[in-house]
């Protein structure tokens, strides 16, 4: 970096300074000349390439040096975020949440919120989507009283998504995280309608991502049992039973139930266990595959709350006897976690079914 004889060498080193700095995370100290070179070189230039690589490598310096050294980098960050180059601004918008997580609530409130608001209102969709992807991380560092102002950006992105399935998938994946950050009223009025809307999406990755949000949404109403039961009733009437419960919806119901199983044991026991496990006898193989996959995933979790639950074990035995080999292959792995389960009966059953 300090070699004055080769501009190419210094330029290449500058491009890759971030990954190098990241390796020094646990070092006792970092050569001050490295950080001085990075800051001074970027501050003295308006070259687009230099500013772009500085924006790309900036988070590594904050991650390694910590918030105690933020004053040294603060002016540089303000300069970079004020540039007009879209590539640089998009890079910064994608990493702002990481800066917020490192700096904490106080510095995020004083130094980053104005920048975040500019990014969210930027005329480039790439910049707006860049910050929206991890907006929940930023919001976690913002005081509760100020979070409400960001609902408009979430709903605006939802409204403008249209047929852009990638944007819808991004929002669907974050629905559960948003539910944990906002109050009951906001969750019910804003995020619950998004949940049902995304579950109806024709793109499977969107609907499947949205289905995982049910558990945190229900947990938000743990002190309002009537509201919680009303939501559960709507889910069951549309995704488990009745004419509307197509095989695709029953698959989504399994995904919803799996998240409740892993994150709300009592709720699953009371409202979802029988309805989910009875799908072991579903006539559609894809539904049984979804159930087998959910049970296998549960047995891989650290807590595995239902390892010795009689109904869960009975459903696994039913699936071990399934006529579809793909279903059997999925649940047979569970026997390595649970020696009490055996697929011997499965082999006998399939043999008798073949004979029939």
């Amino acid at each position: 970096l300090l070699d004055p004889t080769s501009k190419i060498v210094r330029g290449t080193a500058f491009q890759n300074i971030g990954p190098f700095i990241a390796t020094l995370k646990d070092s006792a100290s970092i050569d001050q000349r490295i950080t001085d070179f990075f800051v001074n070189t970027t501050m003295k230039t308006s070259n687009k390439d230099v500013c772009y690589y500085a924006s790309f490598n900036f988070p590594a310096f904050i991650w390694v040096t910590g918030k105690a050294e933020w004053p040294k980098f603060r002016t540089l960050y303000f300069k970079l975020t004020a540039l007009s180059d879209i590539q640089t601004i998009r890079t910064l918008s994608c990493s702002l949440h990481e800066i917020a997580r490192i700096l904490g609530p106080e510095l995020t409130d004083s130094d980053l919120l104005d920048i975040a608001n500019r990014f969210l209102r930027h005329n480039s969709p790439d910049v707006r989507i860049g910050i929206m992807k991890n907006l929940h991380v930023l919001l976690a560092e913002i005081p509760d009283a100020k979070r409400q102002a960001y609902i408009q950006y979430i709903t605006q992105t939802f409204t403008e998504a249209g047929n852009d399935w990638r944007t819808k998938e991004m929002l669907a994946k974050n629905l559960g995280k948003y539910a944990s950050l906002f109050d009951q009223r906001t969750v019910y009025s804003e995020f619950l309608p998004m949940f049902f809307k995304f579950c109806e999406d024709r793109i499977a990755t969107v609907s499947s991502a949205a289905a995982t949000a049910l558990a945190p949404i229900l947990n938000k109403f743990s002190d309002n049992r009537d509201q919680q039961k009303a939501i559960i009733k709507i889910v069951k009437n549309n995704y488990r039973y009745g004419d509307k419960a197509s095989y695709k919806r029953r698959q989504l119901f399994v995904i919803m139930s799996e998240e409740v199983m892993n994150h709300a044991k009592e709720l699953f026991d009371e409202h979802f266990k029988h309805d989910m496990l009875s799908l072991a006898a579903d006539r559609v193989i894809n539904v049984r595959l979804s159930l087998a996959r959910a049970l296998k995933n549960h047995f891989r979790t650290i807590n595995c709350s239902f390892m010795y639950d009689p109904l869960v074990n009975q459903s696994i035995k039913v699936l071990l006897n399934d006529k579809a080999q793909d279903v059997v292959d999925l649940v047979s792995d569970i026997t390595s976690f649970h020696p009490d389960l055996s697929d011997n009966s499965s082999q006998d059953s399939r043999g008798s079914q073949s004979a029939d």
Side-chain angles (χ1 to χ4, degrees):
L1 285 171
L2 303 177
D3 182 4
T5 62
S6 177
K7 183 177 180 181
I8 296 176
V9 171
R10 286 186 288 118
T12 304
F14 188 85
Q15 292 176 22
N16 297 281
I17 195 172
F20 169 73
I21 285 294
T23 64
L24 304 178
K25 172 65 174 173
D26 298 322
S27 299
S29 62
I30 299 174
D31 192 325
Q32 190 65 38
R33 292 175 298 174
I34 299 177
T35 56
D36 288 346
F37 175 83
F38 175 74
V39 173
N40 294 334
T41 299
T42 312
M43 286 298 297
K44 292 176 182 178
T45 185
S46 58
N47 181 279
K48 285 186 178 182
D49 290 336
V50 173
C51 291
Y52 166 71
Y53 287 115
S55 67
F56 181 81
N57 292 314
F58 188 92
F61 281 89
I62 305 303
W63 182 63
V64 171
T65 59
K67 69 177 183 179
E69 296 294 316
W70 172 246
K72 185 182 300 182
F73 298 95
R74 184 173 180 266
T75 303
L76 172 59
Y77 193 67
F78 286 173
K79 172 192 174 176
L80 292 173
T81 56
L83 296 174
S84 59
D85 179 58
I86 295 298
Q87 191 176 21
T88 298
I89 295 300
R90 179 182 179 277
T91 302
L92 292 167
S93 74
C94 290
S95 63
L96 187 141
H97 68 285
E98 293 292 356
I99 305 298
R101 181 150 47 188
I102 296 167
L103 296 185
E106 185 176 345
L107 287 173
T108 296
D109 189 13
S110 62
D111 290 353
L112 299 185
L113 282 194
D114 287 343
I115 296 170
N117 293 337
R118 288 207 312 269
F119 288 165
L120 288 165
R121 294 192 297 263
H122 203 278
N123 56 13
S124 169
D126 290 340
V127 175
R128 297 197 301 271
I129 293 300
I131 188 172
M132 283 298 303
K133 283 182 179 178
N134 293 285
L135 183 63
H136 59 280
V137 180
L138 174 65
L139 293 179
E141 303 298 333
I142 295 176
D144 292 351
K146 293 189 176 182
R147 285 181 194 162
Q148 204 68 27
Y150 291 86
I151 289 291
Q152 61 175 313
Y153 300 113
I154 301 172
T155 55
Q156 179 182 345
T157 305
F158 170 72
T159 303
E160 295 176 351
N163 293 324
D164 183 358
W165 67 267
R166 289 181 177 84
T167 298
K168 290 190 287 187
E169 182 186 14
M170 176 266 292
L171 284 173
K173 284 181 176 179
N174 291 335
L175 270 181
K177 301 178 182 73
Y178 290 141
S180 65
L181 290 169
F182 290 91
D183 56 47
Q184 283 186 11
R185 180 179 178 181
T186 302
V187 172
Y188 187 81
S189 63
E190 302 292 348
F191 299 129
L192 190 60
M194 287 187 199
F195 167 77
F196 286 118
K197 179 70 173 179
F198 283 141
C199 284
E200 293 299 305
D201 200 90
R202 61 185 181 85
I203 305 297
T205 54
V206 176
S207 57
S208 297
T212 62
L214 181 63
I217 287 175
L218 291 178
N219 281 334
K220 179 59 66 172
F221 296 92
S222 57
D223 60 347
N224 188 342
R225 301 289 287 179
D226 290 339
Q227 193 72 66
Q228 191 180 67
K229 289 180 180 178
I231 297 171
I232 293 172
K233 183 177 180 180
I234 294 172
V235 168
K236 288 186 179 181
N237 288 344
N238 287 274
Y239 292 89
R240 178 61 182 92
Y241 300 106
D243 295 336
K244 293 183 179 180
S246 63
Y247 79 92
K248 178 186 176 181
R249 288 191 173 200
R250 297 198 300 277
Q251 286 178 273
L252 292 176
F253 181 80
V254 171
I255 297 173
M256 296 175 191
S257 301
E258 178 187 358
E259 290 299 307
V260 178
M261 185 183 198
N262 293 332
H263 298 105
K265 181 180 184 296
E266 294 181 0
L267 205 59
F268 178 80
D269 245 334
E270 182 178 355
H271 295 288
F272 290 90
K273 184 164 69 173
H274 179 270
D275 301 297
M276 173 187 175
L277 297 177
S278 60
L279 290 171
D282 197 275
R283 66 183 183 276
V284 179
I285 182 175
N286 283 353
V287 177
R288 303 197 304 275
L289 278 169
S290 296
L291 177 60
R293 190 175 297 110
L295 292 173
K296 178 181 175 180
N297 291 340
H298 177 72
F299 273 77
R300 285 181 168 177
T301 60
I302 295 176
N303 57 348
C304 192
S305 306
F306 293 90
M307 175 176 284
Y308 298 105
D309 185 273
L311 284 179
V312 171
N313 290 339
Q314 180 59 38
S315 296
I316 294 172
K317 291 177 181 178
V318 170
L319 293 171
L320 284 168
N321 284 301
D322 200 278
K323 61 184 179 181
Q325 186 61 42
D326 288 343
V327 174
V328 176
D329 289 342
L330 273 174
V331 289
S332 61
D333 289 346
I334 295 176
T335 58
S336 63
F337 303 101
H338 198 336
D340 293 344
L341 293 171
S342 172
D343 63 351
N344 291 333
S345 59
S346 162
Q347 303 296 332
D348 296 338
S349 174
R350 288 199 302 276
S352 63
Q353 288 172 358
S354 299
D356 292 341

